[in-house]
Amino acid sequence: ESHEVKIDSAPFASGGCRDAFHCRFRDSNGQWGPKMVAKKYMRSEAFLEDYICAHYAHECAVRFNERRPPKRVDYLVPNQILTLRDVNYSIERFLEGDWVKHNNIFGMILSNRRTPDAFSHFSYLYSNRRFIILDVQGAGETFTDPAVVSVDVGRFGYTDTGLKGIRDFFKNHKCNEVCRALG
């Protein structure tokens, strides 16, 4: 089945791994759907790395939410691939609201919000201290583009800074009431 797609010619955001473009799809009734994001990767293997990391982050979010934190979190998982002129894009829904990056792969805490860093801390414990979800960013409590930083540096791609990233996060992280509420 073919669909019409509109994709902006210039990215609305760029990072070290990908460019992000607004896009929309027209349904079979001729109606344009909601605003989506098409992510174009700078390295071909980065799509698979992102997909795997998103699944790990989503699984951790499900387990985090089972503990009934004060605020639930969600992770977007790219669920479509779009190929235009031999270029692959991953597609996910557009997050409305103010975009905030809460921490990064170098262990820096970048916001004063408690839930995102408690989520990172939780992910480390949930994984039996094998990995941590960092690069927590998004709008509200919905996040995207996670990095999985593991004890095996590079296992989850080039954003996996290994034990140094994990140690640096815990040097900067201050446990808060969300961490304590999770047990």
Side-chain angles (χ1 to χ4, degrees):
E1 185 175 347
S2 66
H3 294 276
E4 186 177 349
V5 62
K6 279 188 197 174
I7 185 167
D8 289 353
S9 59
F12 70 88
S14 294
C17 303
R18 69 194 77 72
D19 291 326
F21 300 83
H22 291 122
C23 73
R24 287 185 190 267
F25 293 86
R26 188 187 308 245
D27 67 20
S28 58
N29 296 323
Q31 299 296 311
W32 288 102
K35 188 186 302 182
M36 304 292 280
V37 176
K39 296 178 179 177
K40 178 181 171 187
Y41 291 86
M42 296 173 190
R43 298 176 309 112
S44 59
E45 64 274 8
F47 171 77
L48 182 58
E49 292 167 1
D50 261 16
Y51 186 76
I52 290 168
C53 289
H55 275 278
Y56 273 77
H58 181 75
E59 171 68 18
C60 286
V62 168
R63 299 299 167 233
F64 179 85
N65 293 335
E66 286 174 352
R67 305 294 286 268
R68 299 178 187 240
K71 291 185 179 179
R72 297 170 58 85
V73 301
D74 187 26
Y75 257 97
L76 297 184
V77 177
N79 60 1
Q80 296 176 336
I81 298 174
L82 171 67
T83 303
L84 295 172
R85 297 181 215 68
D86 295 324
V87 176
N88 291 324
Y89 297 85
S90 69
I91 306 296
E92 64 186 44
R93 73 181 161 98
F94 179 79
L95 294 179
E96 297 286 348
D98 293 331
W99 189 270
V100 179
K101 187 164 186 162
H102 301 284
N103 60 44
N104 67 19
I105 62 174
F106 306 108
M108 294 174 62
I109 309 299
L110 304 172
S111 80
N112 60 2
R113 298 273 313 285
R114 295 179 298 271
T115 299
D117 291 332
F119 171 75
S120 289
H121 184 168
F122 172 83
S123 70
Y124 183 66
L125 299 176
Y126 173 72
S127 74
N128 292 316
R129 297 177 167 86
R130 300 293 300 157
F131 66 80
I132 187 169
I133 306 297
L134 293 177
D135 221 18
V136 177
Q137 57 190 306
E141 307 324 311
T142 303
F143 307 125
T144 188
D145 300 335
V148 179
V149 176
S150 71
V151 297
D152 307 312
V153 67
R155 175 178 174 206
F156 291 95
Y158 86 100
T159 60
D160 181 352
T161 54
L163 282 172
K164 179 166 179 21
I166 294 170
R167 287 187 190 120
D168 288 346
F169 172 81
F170 283 106
K171 281 183 200 170
N172 296 314
H173 173 63
K174 305 276 188 280
C175 282
N176 58 55
E177 60 271 17
V178 179
C179 296
R180 290 186 282 282
L182 296 171

